[in-house]
Amino acid sequence: MSDEPAFQHLIPTIDGNARLREPQTEAYDAIVDHFDDINNHREAGIVLPVGCGKSGLITLAPFALKARRVLVIAPGLRIATQLLRDFNPTDPGMFYRKCEVLPGPEYPEPAEIRGSKTNRSDLDAADVVVTNIQQLQRGGADNKWLADLPEDFFDLILFDEGHHNVAESCDVLRAKFPAARIVSFSATPTRSDGRLMSGEIVYTYPIYRAVQQGFVKHVKGLVLNPSSLRYVRREDGKEVEVSLDEVRRLGEEDADFRRSIVSSKETLDTIVDASITELRRLRKATGENHLKIIASALNMEHCKQIVKAYAERGQHADYIHSREDSKANDAVLDKLESHDLDVIVQVRMLGEGFDHPYLSVAAVFSIFASLSPFVQFVGRIMRVIKQQAPGDPLNYGSVVFHAGANTVKAWEDFKDFAEADQEWFKLLTEDVPVGIQPSREVDPTDEMARNRDPDAVRIVEPGTVTLQELPLLSDGRLKDALNCWQRPG
């Protein structure tokens, strides 16, 4: 065994490795090229759509930079556990072995920082250390395990779901290890407040290519358009009737109107019915009865209302919420995994790294304050059921929402995307009036929430609703994607 660090003397098989995905090898080369230029910033960002092999790329990145010792930061315990498995030689699914990146028997030595279990000797012996962001937040700059390490202990820091990496806790890391290079990985380069993840974005893999290769589902929008809508104005209490165009304008400009749309029983029932109809259509088209709906709610009470509405229509539905006991949430997730649910409802609980490919319909009952959480939510239905089969009916998904919930506009951060990605996000946002969700749910104990007039805007009559289909890709790109797949036999 060599005395050199593993990432410096082991030779990975990257080029020509058929088990690696196109975005993984291309992003690997982009990392090498970026840091080969001494004039470039110490930080870089990689944007890969969900399902394109981000976790595997994280295990490859240390070889790209011939790192001495690496710190991998995950946004939560679930993802940290998965990343540790990807590095762990004792795990049968370890990425290096599964994808024939390293022949063995020698592999980089992993260690984990979790609570009080971490021994300094384990960290000293490790080539890669995996932890979750919450470990950094324990004690802030006075964090014990962090304080004990010299400033040159890590020479590379990898952030999974890098749109979180502008947080104060991550700034502590940058200051603690000033010479460490940093690479951030995410499905979207912006976080919930619209700020761009730090570092130059050196590689993005366009959504349309991911659809072409069968790495993600082909997703379409289904927008519920009321022919007209009657509501009571908050200024004078008068009832007025407005057209669809006015519904969209009010949804864009008036937060109270927007909230009244997504919280009204009429809208809730309409979205429930439309999402069930779409689920049944997909199940019939595929013959797969395990396809499911994921719904986004405003708050815990809203979760219960949505679950009740689905249950009244014969659907097995349940919800998870941060205020529920973890055991209760785990029991719901177990029901989801065992296909005992048709619908799971949540308030931004199933985010980064959650993997259940049978989620095929996303029902938007909530409000999104920025693009990033919306993309994360839609990402839950984008994981393919059948790998690298872009034309297979199993690899289709739908997003159902109401026209009055608001139009999320494109902003300057889009300039950092490839043109194809800009077009994709605009199809899901600018051209499609999608609700925008707050960075946190409205807490009924909050002073502003208590003082808000619940009848500030009251929907009286939702009008006749029609369903408009909005494709994810243009006709040309959809044709290209479908042509990439040939049906067997």
Side-chain angles (χ1 to χ4, degrees), residues 107 117 121 163 167 214 247 285 305 308 311 315 357 377 403 409 456 486:
Y107 296 102
K117 298 179 182 178
S121 60
H163 55 281
V247 168
Q305 293 170 4
K308 182 174 182 289
Q315 303 300 300
F377 175 62
K409 293 185 177 298
Q486 298 295 325

Side-chain angles (χ1 to χ4, degrees), residues 226-231 240-247 250 257:
S227 57
S228 64
L229 187 144
R230 287 162 54 197
Y231 73 99
V240 296
E241 183 171 347
V242 294
S243 66
L244 173 59
D245 287 343
E246 184 69 1
V247 168
L250 288 167
F257 181 86

Side-chain angles (χ1 to χ4, degrees), residues 104-287:
E106 185 182 356
Y107 296 102
E109 180 67 28
E112 181 183 27
I113 294 173
R114 182 182 297 186
S116 59
K117 298 179 182 178
T118 304
N119 295 318
R120 173 61 187 272
S121 60
D122 293 335
L123 301 186
D124 289 336
D127 298 294
V128 56
V129 176
V130 180
T131 191
N132 55 292
I133 196 69
Q134 291 77 15
Q135 297 298 325
L136 298 177
Q137 295 166 342
R138 294 180 178 176
D142 298 325
N143 187 298
K144 184 179 185 302
W145 72 260
L146 192 62
D148 289 344
L149 300 178
E151 66 177 22
D152 63 348
F153 194 78
F154 297 108
D155 64 337
L156 176 62
I157 300 173
L158 304 177
F159 285 104
D160 189 16
E161 298 302 341
H163 55 281
H164 291 287
N165 72 359
V166 292
E168 181 181 349
S169 54
C170 296
D171 291 336
V172 171
L173 268 185
R174 294 186 183 93
K176 174 65 180 179
F177 307 107
R181 291 165 293 183
I182 298 173
V183 184
S184 300
F185 303 82
S186 182
T188 171
T190 57
R191 56 182 236 163
S192 59
D193 60 8
R195 292 175 64 186
L196 199 65
M197 72 178 182
S198 63
E200 178 186 350
I201 297 174
V202 300
Y203 180 81
T204 66
Y205 192 70
I207 295 291
Y208 85 93
R209 285 175 65 189
V211 173
Q212 285 178 333
Q213 297 298 321
F215 298 150
V216 302
K217 285 179 183 149
H218 173 63
V219 177
K220 68 180 179 182
L222 294 173
V223 59
L224 300 165
N225 292 323
S227 57
S228 64
L229 187 144
R230 287 162 54 197
Y231 73 99
V232 175
R233 286 195 309 222
R234 62 179 177 275
E235 295 90 351
D236 52 18
K238 291 184 178 179
E239 184 177 307
V240 296
E241 183 171 347
V242 294
S243 66
L244 173 59
D245 287 343
E246 184 69 1
V247 168
R248 288 173 171 166
R249 186 191 69 79
L250 288 167
E252 184 175 336
E253 298 176 1
D254 190 324
D256 284 334
F257 181 86
R258 192 161 57 239
R259 180 165 289 277
S260 73
I261 286 288
V262 298
S263 60
S264 71
K265 184 180 186 303
E266 293 82 2
T267 299
L268 188 151
D269 288 341
T270 301
I271 296 175
V272 166
D273 289 338
S275 61
I276 292 173
T277 298
E278 181 63 6
L279 179 66
R280 288 172 176 165
R281 186 191 69 79
L282 288 171
R283 285 179 171 180
K284 183 177 180 180
T286 61

